Every structure is written in structure tokens, then in C-alpha cells.
Amino acid sequence: MKFYVCIKQVPDVSAPLQIKDGQLIQDNDRMILNAYDASAVEEALVLTEKHGGEVEVVLIGPEKASETIRKALAMGAHRGTHILITEKQKIDSAVYARILASYFSDKEYDFIACGKQAQDTDSGLTGSMLAEHLKIPYVTNAVGLDYENHHLTVKRQGDIGQEMIELPAPGVVTCSNDMNEPRIPSLKGIMQSKRKEVNTLTPDELGMKMEDVEIKTRILGFEEKPGRKPGKKLEGDPDKIARKTAHLLDEEAGVL
Amino acid sequence: MSTLLTYISVNNGKIKRSSLEVLSRCTQEANKLGFKSAALIIDENATQYSSQLGSYGLTKVYTVEGPSFKNHLNTPVLKALSAVMNRVKPKVMAFASTEGSKDILGALAANQGIPALPDMSEFEVTDTGVKGKRPVMAAKIISNVEAEGDSVIISVRSGSYDLINLPSEPEVESVEVDVGEDETKSILKEIITASGDRVDLSEADVVVAAGRGVKDEEGQNLISELARLLNAGIGASRALTESGAYDPSLQIGQTGKVVSPQLYIAVGISGAIQHVAGITNSKVIVAINKDPDAPIFDIADYGIVGDLYKVLPPFIEELKKIKGE
Ligand SMILES: Cc1cc2nc3c(=O)[nH]c(=O)nc-3n(C[C@H](O)[C@H](O)[C@H](O)COP(=O)(O)OP(=O)(O)OC[C@H]3O[C@@H](n4cnc5c(N)ncnc54)[C@H](O)[C@@H]3O)c2cc1C
């Protein structure tokens, strides 16, 4: 079984961040493998370990993002492809999906897995855009995967419950981090990753002229979120403060 | 005349309030700009819901119905959406942000070759497209965004807009969409729903959420009792959906659901940013936590510092008195 996993390097959202003149100032040292993609890598590894096959990761990003490919290789992915763009190229989900679609146009695979969203932008568009470009079926928000007779059984978290969906190959599945606990690379894994093959390409080599690509969504700037202020904090005898809060909710907040 | 078209989500035989919030906003924008506001229902029995859309200032309701739309599955829904969009050519195709709309937004944008702005907390229609705000970085900050195009797809977080009351008698137009069996390659085998009475979390007026501090059955019973008393939906942090104590569909936060109740009670939840990402639209937040430094207290309107096992029983008892139980 050939599994491709599309991965992205994202800033660690739990790191402190700053906004200056509408721009987001991020600590460039705290870039990580998107947590949802890590779950996708983990699941692809589990399935190929069980049923045989190979996992290849594909990343679009600047030079620095190659460390994230190494991370996935250290987890156990067999090879990687780095589609190189510059730090300055501000592309949106639609362009990511286009680049990926041109990459996959001449590839053979059973499944392509992606994270269900990126941890920084929470957009969640790329996976289903890619499937639409490739004209293959897809399932989003997978919380469980199983493989049998050339199809995946996907447990999808839907609005009113979990949907069990059969996805035939070739197909795209987007993964939730509720699916598994991604493995921490072992020392051996890290050593081996250094010898694994990473193929570097540019969008140009895939037939995409970045200068001509029309980007239809734009970020105009960032701003602080109108914050919530801490309110009343009650400490002391649990019985007293519990009863007091009940009355505050009734008489002061008026929410009962 | 241009149309702003809102997709009406139906779950468990009920129209989702969050889609009516989006519809209300679209009607306001349409009236401001001299456009039409219309709604689209795709469901097994779509027509049956159109009569519930009489107070949103609509000129038209489009319906697509048939057995293919009994349960959500992306291929039929996409086919129906594309058919209606090709016909109506809406300036804006708007959705409430739900697991159903998240499933198809990207594919629809790619299919129509138009831009999409997901999970907005505010939007306005402009001459060139749509602009607005979206929470990013686990909803820690706001990104001001813009999409350019004759037609733009958006989705909106629940609780972002109030409902309007603008009586109208929209014309109902049914659009035929045939979905052949062989067109749908992925097959829905089964839907697993958790047992017990369930209030739709994303719509609930009161939410009681349990975190790792709720460590046993005794704690869960206290949560259930509090939720029953307040007619609340029960939610949970990832710690407890992961451990299996609560159903995964009850997770609130970045991976889970965004809620927007009048009252949110966090019990034994530390307040990690990924959890807080789902609750800041709540009107009043109450936190019960034994650690006075827990980050949840930074955003709580009422913080009770104490052991939940000692706090909840008198809290419940006092609420019962207030409620006259
Ligand atoms: C990409 C990503 C997405 C995520 N998405 C989500 C999400 O959608 N939702 C979510 O919830 N999390 C999410 N998380 C996980 C999140 O980071 C936290 O790990 C999680 O929210 C912690 O849950 P908790 O607050 O219940 O547990 P903890 O952080 O362990 O907190 C337990 C709290 O209970 C208190 N406590 C313990 N005993 C008692 C007692 N007897 N009485 C009173 N208080 C007590 C403790 O003081 C502590 O503050 C995500 C993480 C990542 C990386």
C-alpha cells in the first residue's frame, strides 16, 4: 500500500506571540510539525506496518521546513518530497492544493492523508480541494482508520455522531488528532532519518509558474482579540463560595 | 440582481440555529446593498423545512431533496450545491461552520474555482468580494482577511450573529438533482451516536463541561446532575474524550466544537488555549478549579477556587433552591 501524507510546518501556537503594526511576530525557532499532520503520519505508519507498504511525506514550505520532513522520517516515514517555496510567498489553501495536485498528477498511490486543518490557520480546506482537483473520493475529520480489501474504513466525527465510511483507493482522508497519539521519534529513528531520501522540487518544475498564480484570498493584517477580562474569583470555604456563586449567577449575571 | 445564498443545515430533523444566524446576517447585508437574500436546503425532506424560514426577510428558498440526502455524505451534497450555485450564481454562498460544511467547503471552492474563507467571526460583503475577521492561532488572535471574486464561499462560527425577525413570504423553488449510485464512490455504512438524551452542544444555552479533574463516576454523576438541573448540554475537554470517559463528539475546543452559550461552566478544566478556543463566545464563563493559578481563571467571569467534589454538591443544592426544585 502506498500512502502519501501531506505535512506542513507551523508555528507552535502555545508559544508567546506578538502583533506589531498588524504583523504577526513569531519565534522562528518554535516551528513544529502540524499536530493533525503528525496524527496522519502516525496512522499511515500503523497501517503500513500492519498491511505492508510505504509512507512518503510531501511538504510545501521554505528551506527551513526541511527539519519537519526529517521529523516525519524519524517517526518512520520512508521518504520525503520537499516542494520549495520562499518565506515571502504568501500562498493560500487554494494554491497549496493546486501545487499538490500537480505533484500528484503523475503519481500512483492508494491513499493520500492530510491533517484535517493546520494548527495555526485552522482553515481545513486543502485536503478536500486536493481531492476535488484529483477527482477522487475523500473523507474528512477521520478519528479512526482501518484497511481491508483495497479500501479504508474511516470513522469520521460528524455533527451528530460518528460515521463509518468506506473509502475506496485511490482516495484522500483528512485526519483529526483524536485518532491516535503520534509516536516520539526514537534515537535510532533519528539516526536513520538522516540517510533517508528527500527529493527537492520547485513549483516551477511541476509546471506551476508562481508569478502567474492568482491568489484570491489575502490576509490584510492581524489584531488582538478583544480579550475577556478575569472577573470575580472566590476563595475560601467551598460550601460558602459555591452557594454565593449560585446567587451571583441568578442575581448579578442573570443567566439562570 | 445579485443573491446572497445561505445553506441551511438540518441535523436530526432540526434546522441548526447557527445557520439561521448566518442567514440573518446575509439578509442584513443584502438589504444594505440592495441584493436578494435566499436560502438553500438540501435534505431528504427539504421542502418540509422551508415553512420555518418565514421570518428572515427572504425572497426565495431553494430546495433539493431525495433519498441521496438522508444522511450527510460529501459527493451528493457537493453535486447539489454545484447545481444550485451554477444556477443562482450567488455573490456569496454562506454556511454555518459545522462538521458538515467543513467537509465540503474546500471541494466546493475547487469545483467552482472560487475563493473560500472558512470559520469567520465577522464578515461584510464588498464590491470586490467579502472581507472580515477570522480567529487564528488557536483563536488567540484575529486575522483580517479578504477574498476577491464574483462569487465567494464563506463559513461563519456559531454565536457570531443574532437572529432577526423580518417576516416575508419566500417563493420555494425545488431544484432537481439526480445522484446516480455509481457516482458516490465512498459509502456510508453506519452512524454511531452516543446514547442518552443529547442537547446539541453548539446550540445549547447552557453548557456544563468536564475536565481531567472529574476523575471518577462520582464526579461524572455530579456533572450530569448539574446539567440536568440547568437543562444544559454536557461537554468535555480533550483529556476526558481521549480517556473515553465522554463521547468524542462532546469535545469542545480547537479540535472539537465551538460553543456559544449564555452560561458555560468549566469543571476541573485547566484552560489550555486549545480548549479556550472553543468557548470564548460564551456570555458568562464559570470555572471551578482547585488550582488558583489555572489559566481558566484568566477568562472566567466567576471563578470558584476549590475542590470540585466539595464545591459541586452545595452549588447544586443552592441552584435547586433558586430554581424552586
Ligand atoms: C492541536 C491540538 C488540538 C487540541 N484540541 C483540543 C480541544 O478541542 N479541546 C480540548 O479540551 N483540548 C484540546 N487540546 C488539548 C489541550 O491542549 C489540553 O491538553 C486539554 O484541554 C487539557 O484538558 P483538561 O483541562 O481537562 O486537563 P488538565 O490540563 O490536566 O487540567 C485538569 C485541571 O483540573 C484541575 N483539578 C484536578 N482535580 C480537581 C478537583 N478535585 N477539583 C477541582 N479542580 C481539579 C486541575 O487543577 C487542572 O487545572 C488540543 C491540543 C492540541 C495540541
Side-chain angles (χ1 to χ4, degrees):
Chain A
M1 171 168 40
K2 174 85 185 194
F3 242 109
Y4 278 98
V5 185
C6 305
I7 61 174
K8 189 181 177 189
Q9 187 179 55
V10 297
D12 181 354
V13 294
S14 53
L17 44 90
Q18 255 188 51
I19 298 170
K20 205 167 161 240
D21 302 324
Q23 295 306 307
L24 188 57
I25 317 270
Q26 290 164 346
D27 186 348
N28 218 16
D29 291 336
R30 292 191 63 172
M31 299 294 281
I32 56 170
L33 168 60
N34 178 34
Y36 301 98
D37 302 346
S39 284
V41 172
E42 173 66 29
E43 206 64 18
L45 290 174
V46 169
L47 288 176
T48 47
E49 279 158 9
K50 199 162 142 197
H51 300 280
E54 196 192 63
V55 177
E56 175 162 352
V57 293
V58 182
L59 175 143
I60 301 173
E63 197 80 58
K64 178 175 168 42
S66 62
E67 66 200 21
T68 291
I69 298 181
R70 288 289 160 205
K71 165 87 191 277
L73 296 177
M75 283 173 73
H78 300 86
R79 63 190 75 243
T81 291
H82 188 168
I83 304 173
L84 207 55
I85 56 170
T86 65
E87 300 264 3
K88 281 204 274 321
Q89 275 163 334
K90 295 286 176 231
I91 63 175
D92 66 359
S93 314
V95 180
Y96 272 108
R98 281 241 163 262
I99 298 174
L100 288 171
S102 25
Y103 174 75
F104 286 114
S105 62
D106 61 354
K107 299 287 178 296
E108 290 210 7
Y109 50 86
D110 295 282
F111 297 102
I112 301 172
C114 313
K116 72 157 174 153
Q117 65 200 53
Q119 249 172 304
D120 55 344
T121 63
D122 282 342
S123 289
L125 298 169
T126 307
S128 71
M129 283 175 162
L130 175 62
E132 177 68 23
H133 288 313
L134 297 173
K135 296 284 170 221
I136 57 178
Y138 70 92
V139 180
T140 61
N141 203 12
V143 294
L145 287 186
D146 219 338
Y147 177 76
E148 206 184 359
N149 297 332
H150 229 58
H151 68 253
L152 286 178
T153 304
V154 186
K155 191 194 270 180
R156 168 178 190 271
Q157 184 61 55
D159 282 304
I160 54 166
Q162 296 178 343
E163 300 153 7
M164 302 300 289
I165 301 172
E166 252 179 35
L167 178 70
V172 174
V173 59
T174 81
C175 302
S176 168
N177 59 342
D178 286 342
M179 189 144 66
N180 52 41
E181 196 59 56
R183 64 194 70 179
I184 313 279
S186 64
L187 196 58
K188 188 164 158 238
I190 294 170
M191 296 310 289
Q192 282 174 344
S193 76
K194 301 199 167 123
R195 291 194 302 271
K196 287 179 179 167
E197 180 193 332
V198 177
N199 178 17
T200 304
L201 289 167
T202 59
D204 212 63
E205 289 170 273
L206 293 168
M208 290 215 21
K209 291 254 170 289
M210 291 305 280
E211 316 74 83
D212 302 339
V213 170
E214 197 191 351
I215 299 171
K216 293 178 184 161
T217 70
R218 260 200 311 280
I219 296 173
L220 304 171
F222 295 94
E223 62 185 47
E224 301 287 349
K225 198 167 160 176
R228 295 185 76 101
K229 284 189 230 53
K232 292 199 164 104
K233 200 159 157 188
L234 293 88
E235 295 183 64
D237 175 32
D239 189 86
K240 272 202 199 113
I241 57 177
R243 290 179 200 277
K244 179 154 184 223
T245 307
H247 284 282
L248 286 171
L249 291 180
D250 185 31
E251 291 146 27
E252 187 178 87
V255 286
L256 298 183
Chain B
M1 203 195 302
S2 305
T3 300
L4 309 185
L5 185 58
T6 305
Y7 176 85
I8 303 298
S9 311
V10 177
N11 276 154
N12 270 348
K14 259 192 73 206
I15 290 181
K16 267 182 101 74
R17 190 189 64 198
S18 49
S19 54
L20 298 176
E21 293 166 2
V22 184
L23 181 61
S24 295
R25 173 64 177 175
C26 279
T27 297
Q28 284 174 334
E29 286 289 284
N31 290 349
K32 191 171 85 192
L33 299 160
F35 296 153
K36 285 192 292 196
S37 177
L40 163 62
I41 312 171
I42 300 173
D43 186 78
E44 188 182 19
N45 308 305
T47 328
Q48 140 191 347
Y49 299 97
S50 53
S51 60
Q52 294 172 36
L53 298 176
S55 54
Y56 301 95
L58 293 175
T59 50
K60 203 151 185 176
V61 177
Y62 296 92
T63 59
V64 181
E65 60 183 15
S68 321
F69 309 109
K70 181 166 188 281
N71 293 304
H72 173 90
L73 195 59
N74 54 39
T75 318
V77 175
L78 271 171
K79 191 168 182 202
L81 273 163
S82 320
V84 175
M85 284 188 74
N86 292 341
R87 163 117 159 223
V88 181
K89 306 218 174 330
K91 187 162 167 65
V92 175
M93 178 75 236
F95 295 82
S97 191
T98 63
E99 290 309 340
S101 67
K102 283 178 188 171
D103 189 34
I104 45 105
L105 225 56
L108 184 64
N111 175 281
Q112 299 281 307
I114 60 178
L117 294 174
D119 239 13
M120 313 270 284
S121 55
E122 263 177 53
F123 73 93
E124 82 188 78
V125 182
T126 63
D127 290 342
T128 50
V130 173
K131 71 176 188 189
K133 299 183 188 297
R134 13 190 346 259
V136 294
M137 306 297 283
K140 277 209 286 197
I141 59 169
I142 299 288
S143 165
N144 285 303
V145 291
E146 177 181 71
E148 245 173 68
D150 297 334
S151 196
V152 175
I153 297 169
I154 62 170
S155 74
V156 183
R157 293 186 145 216
S158 71
S160 300
Y161 290 103
D162 292 332
L163 300 187
I164 56 168
N165 183 9
L166 200 64
S168 73
E169 277 176 38
E171 176 196 342
V172 179
E173 181 179 332
S174 136
V175 180
E176 287 290 325
V177 178
D178 278 328
V179 186
E181 250 173 52
D182 51 334
E183 281 179 66
T184 311
K185 296 208 188 79
S186 43
I187 306 162
L188 179 64
K189 288 288 184 192
E190 190 188 350
I191 299 183
I192 310 161
T193 48
S195 54
D197 49 333
R198 304 257 312 265
V199 183
D200 185 346
L201 260 188
S202 54
E203 315 247 296
D205 281 332
V206 182
V207 172
V208 174
R212 204 189 308 271
V214 177
K215 43 183 162 294
D216 51 17
E217 212 179 298
E218 183 194 344
Q220 289 169 25
N221 287 340
L222 289 167
I223 294 290
S224 303
E225 173 68 0
L226 180 61
R228 185 201 57 79
L229 182 63
L230 299 173
N231 194 22
I234 294 181
S237 73
R238 183 169 155 81
L240 290 196
T241 52
E242 217 172 17
S243 75
Y246 285 89
D247 189 70
S249 57
L250 302 183
Q251 182 173 184
I252 293 173
Q254 187 181 18
T255 297
K257 291 195 162 100
V258 172
V259 296
S260 53
Q262 294 294 306
L263 174 60
Y264 185 83
I265 306 181
V267 186
I269 290 179
S270 61
I273 52 162
Q274 294 91 349
H275 183 79
V276 170
I279 67 172
T280 48
N281 266 359
S282 310
K283 183 162 169 254
V284 171
I285 297 177
V286 176
I288 303 172
N289 196 306
K290 68 178 180 189
D291 172 9
D293 296 323
I296 190 81
F297 288 126
D298 297 341
I299 57 151
D301 300 284
Y302 298 96
I304 308 180
V305 183
D307 183 339
L308 68 95
Y309 290 90
K310 296 203 180 100
V311 169
L312 281 181
F315 187 56
I316 291 169
E317 196 180 279
E318 203 62 25
L319 286 171
K320 278 188 179 160
K321 280 192 214 155
I322 294 170
K323 295 239 164 202
E325 251 192 44

